[in-house]
Amino acid sequence: MRILVTGGAGYIGSHTARALLENGHKVWVLDNLSRGHKEAVQRTVGLDRLTIASLHDTDRLVQILTLQEIELVIHLAAFSLVGESQKQPEMYFRNNVGGSQSLISAMHQANVKKLIVSSTTAVYGTPSQMPITESFERAPVNQYGQTKLEMELSLEHAASQNDLAVVALRYFNAAGAHPNGDLGEDHDPETHLIPITLQVALGQREHLTIFGNDYATPDGTCVRDYVHVCDLAAAHICAMDVLRNGTVQYFNIGTGAGTSVSEVLDACRKVSGHPIPSVDGIRRSGDPDILYADNSKAVSELNWSPKYTSIEQIVETAWRWHSDSPNGYRSG
Ligand code: UFG
């Protein structure tokens, strides 16, 4: 299939683009490079398949979709930091909601009917029960989650109006790196737990600050569902088989298991062989105690299942990436 990946220069986008190529698809990337890396595109589809453009440039989107005879769009271009979204909500709404609406309009004009998009656990807010199923109420507690909820609502409208076939994958915590060691996580500034912890092992930070040790969890630290980025990428391939016109289908993409911050830290110590000092800090605003997926819908309907099922396996791939490329894509 001829596929356009928006945000294909980013962390999840680059792994998805590679998985698509490995499955025999023809892939183009659209990215404004505000957060993504040209080097990541060079290592996947190649720079001749990269268009540097804004999602807001609807005419340009129509042009690319038409010129390359695109049959399916995988839309991953979005801002995704909860803390940042609280400080700059307008920027998040403009990018995540406005950008998605521009894409929907361009697809309508170019008569492209298939769409797979990234959504997030953050649409569920702080559910009182675990694990989270797709039928839980959407009740985001931060602006990032709110933008993704509004994107989902826009898609529901477009699917019914334009006969669009949409699958929205609600990612849990993306983690790890490509086992080849040449694609991985490279954010500036970095805010995510595993890269920060491994940066301590590399001597780039003095310690890990644990954001709260008095949560209602077995060891007092927050519990999340860490899913390997290659497993996330594979879910997009599986989703291609279930697209149905006029519908938006939602799937949780997580392992179904929760891992605490302390357990992640232990795994990073074990894998890196470094003591990784930590200090107990105060809670980070907006962090729910515990979030993990019921992934049974993805397992039964997408025929998807995670290959990386232990946190050590996930951290091993991240460690390979961070230790081989301590400055991310700038390491060369
Ligand atoms: N944490 C620390 N210290 C740090 C960094 C993180 O203790 O220096 C803790 C956080 O408090 C949290 C856990 O590690 O409990 C994971 O934090 P991350 O920042 O790695 O990830 P989040 O769970 O905050 O967010 C991620 C994505 C979001 C998505 C969310 C869905 O970044 O886009 O998962 O669960 F919405």
Side-chain angles (χ1 to χ4, degrees), residues 80 82 120-122 144 171-173 191-193 196 208-211 222 224 226 261 284 287 291:
S80 62
V82 170
T120 172
T121 327
Y144 169 58
Y171 305 157
F172 282 65
N173 285 54
T191 63
H192 295 102
L193 178 62
I196 285 182
L208 169 73
T209 302
I210 296 177
F211 296 147
C222 286
R224 296 286 178 272
Y226 296 90
V261 172
R284 190 173 66 175
D287 271 341
L291 295 171

PDB file of all heavy atoms in Angstrom, residues 80 82 120-122 144 171-173 191-193 196 208-211 222 224 226 261 284 287 291, ligand 1:
ATOM      1  N   SER A  80       3.105  15.715  22.748  1.00  0.00           N
ATOM      2  CA  SER A  80       2.609  14.654  23.638  1.00  0.00           C
ATOM      3  C   SER A  80       3.107  14.750  25.085  1.00  0.00           C
ATOM      4  O   SER A  80       3.127  13.752  25.786  1.00  0.00           O
ATOM      5  CB  SER A  80       2.997  13.291  23.061  1.00  0.00           C
ATOM      6  OG  SER A  80       4.404  13.194  23.014  1.00  0.00           O
ATOM      7  N   VAL A  82       2.520  15.924  28.788  1.00  0.00           N
ATOM      8  CA  VAL A  82       1.442  16.377  29.667  1.00  0.00           C
ATOM      9  C   VAL A  82       1.797  17.706  30.339  1.00  0.00           C
ATOM     10  O   VAL A  82       1.022  18.664  30.317  1.00  0.00           O
ATOM     11  CB  VAL A  82       1.135  15.291  30.719  1.00  0.00           C
ATOM     12  CG1 VAL A  82       0.203  15.810  31.783  1.00  0.00           C
ATOM     13  CG2 VAL A  82       0.546  14.053  30.042  1.00  0.00           C
ATOM     14  N   THR A 120      -4.225   8.203  22.994  1.00  0.00           N
ATOM     15  CA  THR A 120      -3.445   8.020  24.214  1.00  0.00           C
ATOM     16  C   THR A 120      -4.289   7.577  25.405  1.00  0.00           C
ATOM     17  O   THR A 120      -5.484   7.885  25.470  1.00  0.00           O
ATOM     18  CB  THR A 120      -2.754   9.345  24.582  1.00  0.00           C
ATOM     19  OG1 THR A 120      -2.146   9.229  25.863  1.00  0.00           O
ATOM     20  CG2 THR A 120      -3.746  10.497  24.661  1.00  0.00           C
ATOM     21  N   THR A 121      -3.640   6.929  26.341  1.00  0.00           N
ATOM     22  CA  THR A 121      -4.226   6.622  27.652  1.00  0.00           C
ATOM     23  C   THR A 121      -4.745   7.875  28.333  1.00  0.00           C
ATOM     24  O   THR A 121      -5.655   7.787  29.163  1.00  0.00           O
ATOM     25  CB  THR A 121      -3.117   6.110  28.611  1.00  0.00           C
ATOM     26  OG1 THR A 121      -2.169   5.393  27.882  1.00  0.00           O
ATOM     27  CG2 THR A 121      -3.675   5.312  29.742  1.00  0.00           C
ATOM     28  N   ALA A 122      -4.112   9.011  28.025  1.00  0.00           N
ATOM     29  CA  ALA A 122      -4.473  10.256  28.714  1.00  0.00           C
ATOM     30  C   ALA A 122      -5.935  10.648  28.460  1.00  0.00           C
ATOM     31  O   ALA A 122      -6.480  11.469  29.195  1.00  0.00           O
ATOM     32  CB  ALA A 122      -3.531  11.378  28.300  1.00  0.00           C
ATOM     33  N   TYR A 144      -3.291  17.851  27.301  1.00  0.00           N
ATOM     34  CA  TYR A 144      -2.869  16.912  26.259  1.00  0.00           C
ATOM     35  C   TYR A 144      -3.977  15.889  25.988  1.00  0.00           C
ATOM     36  O   TYR A 144      -4.383  15.678  24.845  1.00  0.00           O
ATOM     37  CB  TYR A 144      -1.566  16.210  26.680  1.00  0.00           C
ATOM     38  CG  TYR A 144      -1.225  15.044  25.796  1.00  0.00           C
ATOM     39  CD1 TYR A 144      -1.049  15.221  24.425  1.00  0.00           C
ATOM     40  CD2 TYR A 144      -1.104  13.750  26.313  1.00  0.00           C
ATOM     41  CE1 TYR A 144      -0.762  14.146  23.596  1.00  0.00           C
ATOM     42  CE2 TYR A 144      -0.819  12.676  25.496  1.00  0.00           C
ATOM     43  CZ  TYR A 144      -0.653  12.881  24.138  1.00  0.00           C
ATOM     44  OH  TYR A 144      -0.383  11.816  23.324  1.00  0.00           O
ATOM     45  N   TYR A 171      -2.202   4.621  22.825  1.00  0.00           N
ATOM     46  CA  TYR A 171      -0.917   4.123  23.329  1.00  0.00           C
ATOM     47  C   TYR A 171      -0.843   4.273  24.836  1.00  0.00           C
ATOM     48  O   TYR A 171      -1.215   5.304  25.385  1.00  0.00           O
ATOM     49  CB  TYR A 171       0.253   4.943  22.789  1.00  0.00           C
ATOM     50  CG  TYR A 171       0.395   5.111  21.310  1.00  0.00           C
ATOM     51  CD1 TYR A 171       1.115   6.196  20.814  1.00  0.00           C
ATOM     52  CD2 TYR A 171      -0.123   4.209  20.396  1.00  0.00           C
ATOM     53  CE1 TYR A 171       1.313   6.390  19.468  1.00  0.00           C
ATOM     54  CE2 TYR A 171       0.067   4.391  19.037  1.00  0.00           C
ATOM     55  CZ  TYR A 171       0.786   5.487  18.571  1.00  0.00           C
ATOM     56  OH  TYR A 171       0.977   5.682  17.242  1.00  0.00           O
ATOM     57  N   PHE A 172      -0.253   3.279  25.488  1.00  0.00           N
ATOM     58  CA  PHE A 172       0.159   3.441  26.885  1.00  0.00           C
ATOM     59  C   PHE A 172       1.588   4.009  26.846  1.00  0.00           C
ATOM     60  O   PHE A 172       1.876   4.802  25.957  1.00  0.00           O
ATOM     61  CB  PHE A 172      -0.066   2.133  27.658  1.00  0.00           C
ATOM     62  CG  PHE A 172      -1.540   1.991  28.009  1.00  0.00           C
ATOM     63  CD1 PHE A 172      -2.500   1.836  27.015  1.00  0.00           C
ATOM     64  CD2 PHE A 172      -1.982   2.121  29.308  1.00  0.00           C
ATOM     65  CE1 PHE A 172      -3.866   1.795  27.307  1.00  0.00           C
ATOM     66  CE2 PHE A 172      -3.342   2.075  29.625  1.00  0.00           C
ATOM     67  CZ  PHE A 172      -4.281   1.918  28.621  1.00  0.00           C
ATOM     68  N   ASN A 173       2.474   3.671  27.757  1.00  0.00           N
ATOM     69  CA  ASN A 173       3.774   4.373  27.787  1.00  0.00           C
ATOM     70  C   ASN A 173       4.779   3.766  26.801  1.00  0.00           C
ATOM     71  O   ASN A 173       5.342   2.691  27.076  1.00  0.00           O
ATOM     72  CB  ASN A 173       4.353   4.342  29.205  1.00  0.00           C
ATOM     73  CG  ASN A 173       3.634   5.302  30.126  1.00  0.00           C
ATOM     74  OD1 ASN A 173       2.412   5.247  30.248  1.00  0.00           O
ATOM     75  ND2 ASN A 173       4.375   6.183  30.764  1.00  0.00           N
ATOM     76  N   THR A 191      11.933  14.212  29.187  1.00  0.00           N
ATOM     77  CA  THR A 191      11.121  14.192  30.410  1.00  0.00           C
ATOM     78  C   THR A 191      10.725  12.771  30.807  1.00  0.00           C
ATOM     79  O   THR A 191      10.156  12.577  31.869  1.00  0.00           O
ATOM     80  CB  THR A 191       9.810  15.003  30.212  1.00  0.00           C
ATOM     81  OG1 THR A 191       9.045  14.356  29.180  1.00  0.00           O
ATOM     82  CG2 THR A 191      10.073  16.443  29.842  1.00  0.00           C
ATOM     83  N   HIS A 192      10.972  11.794  29.934  1.00  0.00           N
ATOM     84  CA  HIS A 192      10.468  10.444  30.181  1.00  0.00           C
ATOM     85  C   HIS A 192      11.374   9.628  31.107  1.00  0.00           C
ATOM     86  O   HIS A 192      12.602   9.802  31.107  1.00  0.00           O
ATOM     87  CB  HIS A 192      10.269   9.704  28.855  1.00  0.00           C
ATOM     88  CG  HIS A 192       9.212  10.325  28.002  1.00  0.00           C
ATOM     89  ND1 HIS A 192       9.501  11.120  26.927  1.00  0.00           N
ATOM     90  CD2 HIS A 192       7.867  10.306  28.104  1.00  0.00           C
ATOM     91  CE1 HIS A 192       8.372  11.546  26.394  1.00  0.00           C
ATOM     92  NE2 HIS A 192       7.361  11.075  27.088  1.00  0.00           N
ATOM     93  N   LEU A 193      10.734   8.748  31.847  1.00  0.00           N
ATOM     94  CA  LEU A 193      11.425   8.031  32.925  1.00  0.00           C
ATOM     95  C   LEU A 193      12.631   7.213  32.455  1.00  0.00           C
ATOM     96  O   LEU A 193      13.720   7.341  33.022  1.00  0.00           O
ATOM     97  CB  LEU A 193      10.415   7.117  33.648  1.00  0.00           C
ATOM     98  CG  LEU A 193      11.004   6.262  34.763  1.00  0.00           C
ATOM     99  CD1 LEU A 193      11.585   7.123  35.864  1.00  0.00           C
ATOM    100  CD2 LEU A 193       9.926   5.323  35.317  1.00  0.00           C
ATOM    101  N   ILE A 196      15.690   9.236  31.044  1.00  0.00           N
ATOM    102  CA  ILE A 196      16.313  10.018  32.124  1.00  0.00           C
ATOM    103  C   ILE A 196      17.131   9.105  33.036  1.00  0.00           C
ATOM    104  O   ILE A 196      18.272   9.405  33.397  1.00  0.00           O
ATOM    105  CB  ILE A 196      15.232  10.788  32.920  1.00  0.00           C
ATOM    106  CG1 ILE A 196      14.752  11.971  32.078  1.00  0.00           C
ATOM    107  CG2 ILE A 196      15.742  11.237  34.285  1.00  0.00           C
ATOM    108  CD1 ILE A 196      13.717  12.848  32.748  1.00  0.00           C
ATOM    109  N   LEU A 208      18.394  10.182  39.531  1.00  0.00           N
ATOM    110  CA  LEU A 208      16.993  10.190  39.124  1.00  0.00           C
ATOM    111  C   LEU A 208      16.187  10.741  40.293  1.00  0.00           C
ATOM    112  O   LEU A 208      16.387  10.312  41.433  1.00  0.00           O
ATOM    113  CB  LEU A 208      16.508   8.763  38.824  1.00  0.00           C
ATOM    114  CG  LEU A 208      14.981   8.637  38.651  1.00  0.00           C
ATOM    115  CD1 LEU A 208      14.532   9.245  37.324  1.00  0.00           C
ATOM    116  CD2 LEU A 208      14.526   7.194  38.761  1.00  0.00           C
ATOM    117  N   THR A 209      15.299  11.682  40.014  1.00  0.00           N
ATOM    118  CA  THR A 209      14.367  12.113  41.055  1.00  0.00           C
ATOM    119  C   THR A 209      13.083  11.313  40.891  1.00  0.00           C
ATOM    120  O   THR A 209      12.481  11.307  39.801  1.00  0.00           O
ATOM    121  CB  THR A 209      14.057  13.618  40.927  1.00  0.00           C
ATOM    122  OG1 THR A 209      15.293  14.336  41.007  1.00  0.00           O
ATOM    123  CG2 THR A 209      13.123  14.086  42.036  1.00  0.00           C
ATOM    124  N   ILE A 210      12.688  10.604  41.938  1.00  0.00           N
ATOM    125  CA  ILE A 210      11.431   9.833  41.900  1.00  0.00           C
ATOM    126  C   ILE A 210      10.311  10.775  42.324  1.00  0.00           C
ATOM    127  O   ILE A 210      10.314  11.292  43.446  1.00  0.00           O
ATOM    128  CB  ILE A 210      11.518   8.602  42.823  1.00  0.00           C
ATOM    129  CG1 ILE A 210      12.618   7.652  42.304  1.00  0.00           C
ATOM    130  CG2 ILE A 210      10.165   7.893  42.920  1.00  0.00           C
ATOM    131  CD1 ILE A 210      12.857   6.425  43.163  1.00  0.00           C
ATOM    132  N   PHE A 211       9.391  11.000  41.390  1.00  0.00           N
ATOM    133  CA  PHE A 211       8.321  11.975  41.641  1.00  0.00           C
ATOM    134  C   PHE A 211       7.218  11.375  42.516  1.00  0.00           C
ATOM    135  O   PHE A 211       6.147  11.041  42.031  1.00  0.00           O
ATOM    136  CB  PHE A 211       7.725  12.476  40.317  1.00  0.00           C
ATOM    137  CG  PHE A 211       8.689  13.248  39.442  1.00  0.00           C
ATOM    138  CD1 PHE A 211       8.589  13.170  38.053  1.00  0.00           C
ATOM    139  CD2 PHE A 211       9.676  14.059  39.984  1.00  0.00           C
ATOM    140  CE1 PHE A 211       9.451  13.890  37.232  1.00  0.00           C
ATOM    141  CE2 PHE A 211      10.549  14.774  39.168  1.00  0.00           C
ATOM    142  CZ  PHE A 211      10.437  14.681  37.791  1.00  0.00           C
ATOM    143  N   CYS A 222       4.543   5.463  41.261  1.00  0.00           N
ATOM    144  CA  CYS A 222       3.499   5.336  40.234  1.00  0.00           C
ATOM    145  C   CYS A 222       3.693   4.097  39.362  1.00  0.00           C
ATOM    146  O   CYS A 222       4.829   3.748  39.022  1.00  0.00           O
ATOM    147  CB  CYS A 222       3.542   6.539  39.299  1.00  0.00           C
ATOM    148  SG  CYS A 222       2.897   8.026  40.027  1.00  0.00           S
ATOM    149  N   ARG A 224       2.865   2.297  35.685  1.00  0.00           N
ATOM    150  CA  ARG A 224       2.476   2.541  34.291  1.00  0.00           C
ATOM    151  C   ARG A 224       2.643   1.263  33.472  1.00  0.00           C
ATOM    152  O   ARG A 224       3.336   0.340  33.886  1.00  0.00           O
ATOM    153  CB  ARG A 224       3.377   3.633  33.662  1.00  0.00           C
ATOM    154  CG  ARG A 224       3.257   4.998  34.305  1.00  0.00           C
ATOM    155  CD  ARG A 224       1.942   5.679  33.926  1.00  0.00           C
ATOM    156  NE  ARG A 224       1.805   6.970  34.583  1.00  0.00           N
ATOM    157  CZ  ARG A 224       1.273   7.151  35.790  1.00  0.00           C
ATOM    158  NH1 ARG A 224       0.831   6.110  36.487  1.00  0.00           N
ATOM    159  NH2 ARG A 224       1.183   8.348  36.313  1.00  0.00           N
ATOM    160  N   TYR A 226       4.376   0.015  30.348  1.00  0.00           N
ATOM    161  CA  TYR A 226       5.427   0.353  29.376  1.00  0.00           C
ATOM    162  C   TYR A 226       5.360  -0.634  28.214  1.00  0.00           C
ATOM    163  O   TYR A 226       5.519  -1.843  28.412  1.00  0.00           O
ATOM    164  CB  TYR A 226       6.812   0.329  30.037  1.00  0.00           C
ATOM    165  CG  TYR A 226       6.916   1.398  31.111  1.00  0.00           C
ATOM    166  CD1 TYR A 226       6.557   1.132  32.433  1.00  0.00           C
ATOM    167  CD2 TYR A 226       7.303   2.697  30.789  1.00  0.00           C
ATOM    168  CE1 TYR A 226       6.600   2.123  33.410  1.00  0.00           C
ATOM    169  CE2 TYR A 226       7.352   3.700  31.762  1.00  0.00           C
ATOM    170  CZ  TYR A 226       6.999   3.394  33.062  1.00  0.00           C
ATOM    171  OH  TYR A 226       7.027   4.392  34.019  1.00  0.00           O
ATOM    172  N   VAL A 261       7.708   2.902  39.162  1.00  0.00           N
ATOM    173  CA  VAL A 261       8.939   3.681  38.922  1.00  0.00           C
ATOM    174  C   VAL A 261      10.131   2.967  39.570  1.00  0.00           C
ATOM    175  O   VAL A 261      11.205   2.851  38.953  1.00  0.00           O
ATOM    176  CB  VAL A 261       8.786   5.128  39.460  1.00  0.00           C
ATOM    177  CG1 VAL A 261      10.112   5.880  39.384  1.00  0.00           C
ATOM    178  CG2 VAL A 261       7.694   5.878  38.704  1.00  0.00           C
ATOM    179  N   ARG A 284       4.707  14.868  40.864  1.00  0.00           N
ATOM    180  CA  ARG A 284       4.560  15.719  39.684  1.00  0.00           C
ATOM    181  C   ARG A 284       3.067  15.934  39.484  1.00  0.00           C
ATOM    182  O   ARG A 284       2.299  14.972  39.542  1.00  0.00           O
ATOM    183  CB  ARG A 284       5.176  15.001  38.479  1.00  0.00           C
ATOM    184  CG  ARG A 284       5.320  15.848  37.249  1.00  0.00           C
ATOM    185  CD  ARG A 284       6.100  15.118  36.165  1.00  0.00           C
ATOM    186  NE  ARG A 284       5.375  13.948  35.653  1.00  0.00           N
ATOM    187  CZ  ARG A 284       5.797  13.198  34.635  1.00  0.00           C
ATOM    188  NH1 ARG A 284       6.953  13.476  34.039  1.00  0.00           N
ATOM    189  NH2 ARG A 284       5.101  12.168  34.223  1.00  0.00           N
ATOM    190  N   ASP A 287      -0.090  13.391  37.861  1.00  0.00           N
ATOM    191  CA  ASP A 287       0.261  11.974  37.687  1.00  0.00           C
ATOM    192  C   ASP A 287      -0.740  11.064  38.418  1.00  0.00           C
ATOM    193  O   ASP A 287      -0.808  11.093  39.651  1.00  0.00           O
ATOM    194  CB  ASP A 287       1.657  11.686  38.274  1.00  0.00           C
ATOM    195  CG  ASP A 287       2.776  11.896  37.267  1.00  0.00           C
ATOM    196  OD1 ASP A 287       2.489  11.915  36.060  1.00  0.00           O
ATOM    197  OD2 ASP A 287       3.932  12.025  37.704  1.00  0.00           O
ATOM    198  N   LEU A 291      -1.890   3.188  36.062  1.00  0.00           N
ATOM    199  CA  LEU A 291      -2.556   3.088  34.758  1.00  0.00           C
ATOM    200  C   LEU A 291      -2.011   1.855  34.041  1.00  0.00           C
ATOM    201  O   LEU A 291      -0.794   1.756  33.846  1.00  0.00           O
ATOM    202  CB  LEU A 291      -2.226   4.312  33.875  1.00  0.00           C
ATOM    203  CG  LEU A 291      -2.701   5.701  34.287  1.00  0.00           C
ATOM    204  CD1 LEU A 291      -2.066   6.768  33.378  1.00  0.00           C
ATOM    205  CD2 LEU A 291      -4.232   5.797  34.213  1.00  0.00           C
TER     206      LEU A 291
HETATM  207  N1  UFG B   1       8.985   9.927  36.603  1.00  0.00           N
HETATM  208  C1  UFG B   1       9.838  10.112  37.683  1.00  0.00           C
HETATM  209  N2  UFG B   1      10.958  10.843  37.477  1.00  0.00           N
HETATM  210  C2  UFG B   1      11.304  11.397  36.274  1.00  0.00           C
HETATM  211  C3  UFG B   1      10.430  11.178  35.179  1.00  0.00           C
HETATM  212  C4  UFG B   1       9.275  10.447  35.374  1.00  0.00           C
HETATM  213  O1  UFG B   1       9.567   9.654  38.789  1.00  0.00           O
HETATM  214  O2  UFG B   1      12.344  12.073  36.179  1.00  0.00           O
HETATM  215  C5  UFG B   1       7.751   9.146  36.791  1.00  0.00           C
HETATM  216  C6  UFG B   1       6.485   9.936  36.503  1.00  0.00           C
HETATM  217  O3  UFG B   1       6.078  10.661  37.637  1.00  0.00           O
HETATM  218  C7  UFG B   1       5.513   8.824  36.110  1.00  0.00           C
HETATM  219  C8  UFG B   1       6.409   7.786  35.440  1.00  0.00           C
HETATM  220  O4  UFG B   1       7.740   8.102  35.837  1.00  0.00           O
HETATM  221  O5  UFG B   1       4.948   8.256  37.258  1.00  0.00           O
HETATM  222  C9  UFG B   1       6.348   7.832  33.925  1.00  0.00           C
HETATM  223  O6  UFG B   1       6.560   9.168  33.508  1.00  0.00           O
HETATM  224  P1  UFG B   1       6.848   9.572  31.980  1.00  0.00           P
HETATM  225  O7  UFG B   1       7.098  11.053  31.972  1.00  0.00           O
HETATM  226  O8  UFG B   1       7.897   8.688  31.415  1.00  0.00           O
HETATM  227  O9  UFG B   1       5.493   9.209  31.227  1.00  0.00           O
HETATM  228  P2  UFG B   1       3.983   9.687  31.519  1.00  0.00           P
HETATM  229  O10 UFG B   1       3.271   8.498  32.128  1.00  0.00           O
HETATM  230  O11 UFG B   1       3.919  10.955  32.265  1.00  0.00           O
HETATM  231  O12 UFG B   1       3.435  10.021  30.067  1.00  0.00           O
HETATM  232  C10 UFG B   1       3.484   9.130  28.975  1.00  0.00           C
HETATM  233  C11 UFG B   1       3.479   9.945  27.700  1.00  0.00           C
HETATM  234  C12 UFG B   1       2.180  10.694  27.547  1.00  0.00           C
HETATM  235  C13 UFG B   1       1.005   9.742  27.700  1.00  0.00           C
HETATM  236  C14 UFG B   1       1.126   8.924  28.941  1.00  0.00           C
HETATM  237  C15 UFG B   1       0.045   7.869  28.951  1.00  0.00           C
HETATM  238  O13 UFG B   1       4.551  10.882  27.686  1.00  0.00           O
HETATM  239  O14 UFG B   1       2.144  11.286  26.271  1.00  0.00           O
HETATM  240  O15 UFG B   1       2.373   8.259  28.998  1.00  0.00           O
HETATM  241  O16 UFG B   1       0.072   7.124  30.141  1.00  0.00           O
HETATM  242  F1  UFG B   1      -0.132  10.459  27.765  1.00  0.00           F
END
